Amino acid sequence: MGGRSTRAATRRRLRSLASTRERAERAAVLMAVRAVWRFVTYAISHVAGAGVTWEIHCATYGCGESHIADKDDECAEWAMRHTAANAGHDLFRRTCSDHARVAALA
Ligand SMILES: [Zn+2]
C-alpha cells in the first residue's frame, strides 16, 4: 500500500518536472522569437574617404576594351582616344560606383 502511493507520488513528480521542462523550452522559443522581431533602423551612406570609381566599356560587339579611373574626365579622354583609333567604336557603357556603409541607428 505504502509502496503504491510512493510510486504515484514519483509519477506526479516526474510529470511535474516534465511540464516544468516544457515551460522552460517554450519560454526559450518565445525569447528567440522576440529577438527576431526586434526592430532596428539602419542607414546607408557614402564612405567619404573611399572616393568613387568610374568605368567605361566599349560597347562595340567583339571589342571588350575598357578603362577604369577615379575621375570621369580620364574615362572620357580614354573613350575619345579609343574612338579615334578604332573607327566605328563610338558607343560606350559608363558606370560610377562608390563605397557605402550600413550602420544601425540607436
Ligand atoms: Zn572598342
Side-chain angles (χ1 to χ4, degrees), residues 12-92:
R12 272 197 305 273
R13 175 96 177 108
L14 285 173
R15 244 184 271 134
S16 157
L17 285 172
S19 64
T20 302
R21 181 188 217 167
E22 284 172 11
R23 276 197 299 269
E25 285 173 0
R26 260 186 254 132
V29 168
L30 287 174
M31 287 172 70
V33 169
R34 206 178 301 145
V36 169
W37 284 100
R38 196 181 77 155
F39 292 97
V40 177
T41 304
Y42 290 94
I44 187 166
S45 60
H46 170 70
V47 178
V52 295
T53 301
W54 289 88
E55 293 177 56
I56 191 160
H57 303 264
C58 178
T60 301
Y61 179 76
C63 179
E65 288 199 36
S66 63
H67 185 73
I68 299 174
D70 58 353
K71 292 179 183 154
D72 184 31
D73 293 354
E74 291 177 28
C75 285
E77 189 176 322
W78 177 86
M80 288 179 223
R81 287 178 191 227
H82 186 74
T83 299
N86 303 281
H89 291 220
D90 56 357
L91 183 64
F92 296 89

